[in-house]
């Protein structure tokens, strides 16, 4: 029996279905401006110490992504270290199949 791994597209479907969820793009502002997943907010990893201003409720279900998944992994770890309880690194926008906003 194989292990099922969600990809970013499955997570985005989940995000769209849950109005209380937050989707954070941790890429830099210029990357975000060039194309982003609709509904996401930009909190660059270089400025991630302000995450508590953007997501004050540490129980909020939060998905984080970047280009390939590395920076979002660091961001998710940082949020967990700050007491956030429901944070998931959903990987990189490079694998996203949907329409991008710009």
């Amino acid at each position: 029996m194989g292990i099922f791994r969600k990809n970013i597209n499955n997570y985005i479907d989940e995000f769209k279905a849950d109005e209380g969820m937050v989707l954070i793009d941790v890429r830099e502002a210029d990357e975000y401006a060039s194309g982003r997943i609709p509904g996401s907010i930009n909190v660059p990893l270089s400025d991630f110490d302000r995450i508590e201003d953007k997501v004050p409720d540490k129980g909020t279900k939060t998905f984080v992504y970047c280009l390939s998944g590395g920076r979002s992994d660091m961001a998710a770890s940082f949020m967990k270290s700050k007491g956030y309880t429901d944070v998931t690194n959903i990987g990189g926008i490079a694998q996203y199949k949907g329409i991008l906003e710009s």
Side-chain angles (χ1 to χ4, degrees):
M1 187 163 146
I3 296 174
F4 173 73
R5 286 190 55 173
K6 280 189 179 181
N7 68 37
I8 190 168
N9 299 290
N10 299 124
Y11 285 114
I12 296 306
D13 289 343
E14 190 177 332
F15 166 70
K16 289 177 183 173
D18 185 342
E19 288 184 18
M21 192 180 297
V22 176
L23 178 63
I24 299 174
D25 184 325
V26 303
R27 297 174 302 150
E28 294 304 310
D30 61 327
E31 293 175 281
Y32 184 74
S34 71
R36 61 192 169 269
I37 297 173
S40 64
I41 60 172
N42 185 220
V43 184
L45 190 60
S46 63
D47 196 22
F48 213 70
D49 54 346
R50 67 186 180 101
I51 189 61
E52 292 171 273
D53 295 336
K54 295 288 187 176
V55 186
D57 180 352
K58 294 188 177 185
T60 301
K61 187 167 186 170
T62 306
F63 287 167
V64 293
Y65 74 91
C66 61
L67 179 64
S68 63
R71 287 177 282 179
S72 51
D73 192 49
M74 290 186 274
S77 294
F78 179 81
M79 288 182 75
K80 289 173 185 173
S81 77
K82 293 290 185 184
Y84 287 86
T85 58
D86 196 353
V87 180
T88 304
N89 171 14
I90 65 168
I93 195 171
Q95 280 72 48
Y96 177 62
K97 305 280 192 249
I99 304 229
L100 296 177
E101 285 182 334
S102 57

